[in-house]
Amino acid sequence: MTQPRLSLVDTDPAELAVDAIVIGLHSQPDEGGALLPAAGAESIAAAFDGKLTSTLALLGATGSPGEVTKLATLGTITAPLVVAVGLGDEPSGSAPAPETLRRGTGAVVRALAGSETVALALPVPDDADAPGVLRAILEGALLGSYRFAGYKTKPQPGRREPVSALQVHVPDAADEPARSEVSRASIVAAAVRQTRDWVNASPNNLRPPAFADAVVAAAEGTGLQVEVLDFDELKAGGYGGIVAVGQGSAAGPRLVKLSYTPAGVTDPKRVALVGKGITFDTGGISIKPAAGMWEMKSDMAGAAAVGATMLAVAALEPGIAVTGYLAMAENMPSGTAYRPGDVITMFNGKRVEVLNTDAEGRMVLADAIARACQDGTDYLFETSTLTGGQVISLGKRIAGVMGDPATCERVKAAGESVGEPAWPMPLPDEVRKGMESEIADICQTNSSMDRAGHMLQGGVFLREFVAEGVDWAHIDVAGPAFNSGEPSGYLTKGGTGVPVRTFLALIDDIAADSAPLRG
Ligand code: BES
Ligand code: MN
Ligand code: ZN
């Protein structure tokens, strides 16, 4: 579904002819929890003649983060509805934390499905913090309004459609930095929404050839350079890992490469992004239990995030070279499937002993990583729904990061800045020792099938395929990529779009480091 139209307004919110006006609401812990309208709500509060907070309190509002309270305005202001979103305790600085605003805005825009036009009169300060605060509000609104189009054959009577136009109140709607935040947020949110769409697609509708075609179609006209390797080309090219996983499916594997080269930059820094694109993971011959297996349609979330990030990169035009590698295969059990015990020669020549065909992600990623390193790169960020161990150790919201320590810290900081938390994990020697093979260079998992350090085994394995001198991190998003629970904040059900915004923050960060090179 298309993204809502977004515009800035700087006229009095009390006079906006929209279906609903959103204001922020704080609680004041020092005043016994008394409510306080957030900055931006002044004229609305004035129109209610001092009765706004008492009425909201009467309706049960407490100002807790993400709480939504709707109030009919009965002619006090132009809009028929005021909607208060809780923003937590009164902030000490000029505005609440960006993530509080991002979540609150997401929650309120989600709750306003069914309204066509909504104005947001939230606290956008008139100072140096303004761009970050505005960014959070815009992203939260655009992501919270996401809905997967789905496959229903009939229109749903009474279904409330997502908000179609958003007006965001700012001190000065003509301000250049504010206007560029609007275009950036539209690009970033479009990438996150594209990722969600691909993840939410049913697996029969997005097998590797169709997924590759969809990515190529999305990249058309963006200026990205595109290369697609099909099954025969992968075989001929020595991509043993991708071929092994892909050979069990009637829909062959693909490796999609998308490249962005900055104009007018000599010898730019190079970033490679690699994503796991298992369009469905049955486990293969080491088949998974039936319960919940359908969620393995999300096992291509890493590739979706990389592909969508590349679309955003093409639009944002950073001063560094960025290349995306999407390793696509369908992991099926069949008469042609790879099997436990197989020894596979990978793209970099290493030989891997397969012990469990359900550890397929690392097989396809190893080849894509090795290819990225052969092409040449300074940084390599790889993301995948790699292990159930990630969910066990860090839960559904915090990604596991493995790689060289400095790069892991960089990923953690980038994730924190955008509300996609990620936590560095070690790559212990004893885990590598446990993966020794008697007959090949390495086993794909622990040789005695010991699940200890499960998530770390994935990172340790992938390290074998990263070239010397490349700053790298592996981001395991098995939990964070897919929201199997209820919507919350700007996270809707299903695909979340993690870690697209982390990637974009990393690219900004690296581009800022090499900014003096741009000429
Ligand atoms: N795609 C799964 C990991 C996964 C689990 C993603 C839960 C999202 C939610 C992966 O391919 C897998 O099957 N991993 C195995 C590895 C094991 C066989 C070494 C796992 O986690 O059990
Ligand atoms: Mn698997
Ligand atoms: Zn998998």
Side-chain angles (χ1 to χ4, degrees):
M1 284 186 165
T2 50
Q3 176 155 293
R5 289 187 313 275
L6 197 57
S7 54
L8 296 177
V9 288
D10 54 14
T11 52
D12 182 359
E15 289 171 11
L16 290 173
V18 291
D19 298 320
I21 300 256
V22 171
I23 60 168
L25 194 61
H26 294 296
S27 55
Q28 302 170 94
D30 297 341
E31 312 281 331
L35 298 176
L36 176 73
E42 294 80 3
S43 71
I44 312 275
F48 276 81
D49 235 355
K51 296 194 195 75
L52 179 64
T53 51
S54 57
T55 309
L56 286 168
L58 200 61
L59 292 167
T62 64
S64 73
E67 169 195 83
V68 173
T69 310
K70 296 182 184 175
L71 175 60
T73 61
L74 308 175
T76 49
I77 62 170
T78 308
L81 203 60
V82 165
V83 186
V85 61
L87 297 176
D89 291 349
E90 184 182 5
S92 44
S94 57
E99 182 62 5
T100 306
L101 280 167
R102 205 182 280 113
R103 289 187 189 182
T105 312
V108 73
V109 169
R110 219 161 22 73
L112 283 171
S115 304
E116 252 169 56
T117 45
V118 170
L120 305 173
L122 291 167
V124 180
D126 200 1
D127 63 19
D129 292 340
V133 169
L134 183 58
R135 180 177 296 190
I137 291 172
L138 297 171
E139 285 182 358
L142 292 176
L143 299 181
S145 67
Y146 171 83
R147 182 183 289 167
F148 181 52
Y151 303 99
K152 287 185 187 291
T153 54
K154 294 196 186 84
Q156 301 294 293
R159 181 159 112 156
R160 301 180 310 140
E161 294 306 317
V163 170
S164 54
L166 288 158
Q167 302 181 5
V168 180
H169 191 268
V170 290
D172 176 8
D175 181 49
E176 252 332 297
R179 292 164 58 92
S180 75
E181 285 303 328
V182 171
S183 50
R184 182 185 159 102
S186 304
I187 293 166
V188 171
V192 173
R193 294 168 66 106
Q194 175 66 83
T195 307
R196 292 179 181 182
D197 275 346
W198 278 330
V199 171
N200 292 334
S202 66
N204 60 325
N205 281 304
L206 203 76
R207 298 174 88 195
F211 189 16
D213 287 350
V215 172
V216 171
E220 214 175 272
T222 60
L224 292 174
Q225 219 183 308
V226 179
E227 178 188 332
V228 181
L229 299 183
D230 66 15
F231 191 34
D232 292 336
E233 290 162 326
L234 289 164
K235 257 199 264 188
Y239 295 84
I242 301 177
V243 166
V245 176
Q247 72 190 20
S249 171
R254 296 286 186 273
L255 178 64
V256 178
K257 175 181 173 186
L258 302 170
S259 318
Y260 163 80
T261 316
V265 185
T266 36
D267 198 17
K269 282 273 176 226
R270 296 161 303 173
V271 171
L273 305 176
V274 179
K276 170 177 173 181
I278 300 298
T279 62
F280 195 72
D281 182 11
T282 65
I285 297 298
S286 315
I287 199 163
K288 286 181 182 296
M293 196 204 275
W294 68 273
E295 276 194 15
M296 285 301 117
K297 71 173 188 172
S298 66
D299 212 18
M300 33 55 73
V306 168
T309 299
M310 291 307 302
L311 301 175
V313 165
L316 294 169
E317 304 184 323
I320 56 174
V322 187
T323 310
Y325 298 84
L326 291 67
M328 303 174 179
E330 188 179 40
N331 190 22
M332 296 292 264
S334 79
T336 58
Y338 82 135
R339 47 189 100 50
D342 281 2
V343 172
I344 307 295
T345 304
M346 309 292 281
F347 184 73
N348 73 346
K350 288 200 181 177
R351 295 228 166 97
V352 173
E353 182 180 6
V354 175
L355 295 180
N356 186 328
T357 62
D358 199 9
E360 82 298 337
R362 61 197 72 180
M363 299 296 289
V364 302
L365 289 165
D367 279 354
I369 288 172
R371 166 66 196 274
C373 292
Q374 186 190 72
D375 289 348
T377 190
D378 301 301
Y379 299 88
L380 189 149
F381 302 104
E382 169 275 313
T383 193
S384 42
T385 46
L386 201 68
T387 67
Q390 182 278 315
V391 190
I392 302 297
S393 48
L394 292 169
K396 290 284 296 175
R397 291 293 275 270
I398 303 176
V401 189
M402 287 139 275
D404 61 78
T407 309
C408 291
E409 284 305 323
R410 216 164 175 165
V411 171
K412 176 175 180 262
E416 192 168 306
S417 73
V418 300
E420 295 181 339
W423 205 257
M425 299 301 257
L427 295 170
D429 288 342
E430 68 273 14
V431 170
R432 176 63 185 84
K433 283 206 190 81
M435 297 171 81
E436 277 306 321
S437 167
E438 298 222 348
I439 57 172
D441 298 322
I442 186 171
C443 281
Q444 172 214 30
T445 65
N446 180 282
S447 344
S448 49
M449 304 287 286
D450 182 349
R451 288 168 75 88
H454 197 194
M455 163 172 52
L456 313 181
Q457 292 178 26
V460 164
F461 181 84
L462 293 174
R463 179 176 56 186
E464 302 280 321
F465 301 88
V466 181
E468 202 71 37
V470 174
D471 291 345
W472 77 286
H474 152 59
I475 310 171
D476 192 336
V477 291
F482 195 79
N483 175 22
S484 29
E486 287 309 306
S488 97
Y490 54 90
L491 292 185
T492 44
K493 251 185 147 102
T496 59
V498 174
V500 168
R501 290 179 306 111
T502 300
F503 278 156
L504 292 171
L506 283 165
I507 288 164
D508 267 359
D509 181 26
I510 292 166
D513 271 3
S514 45
L517 298 176
R518 190 158 215 181

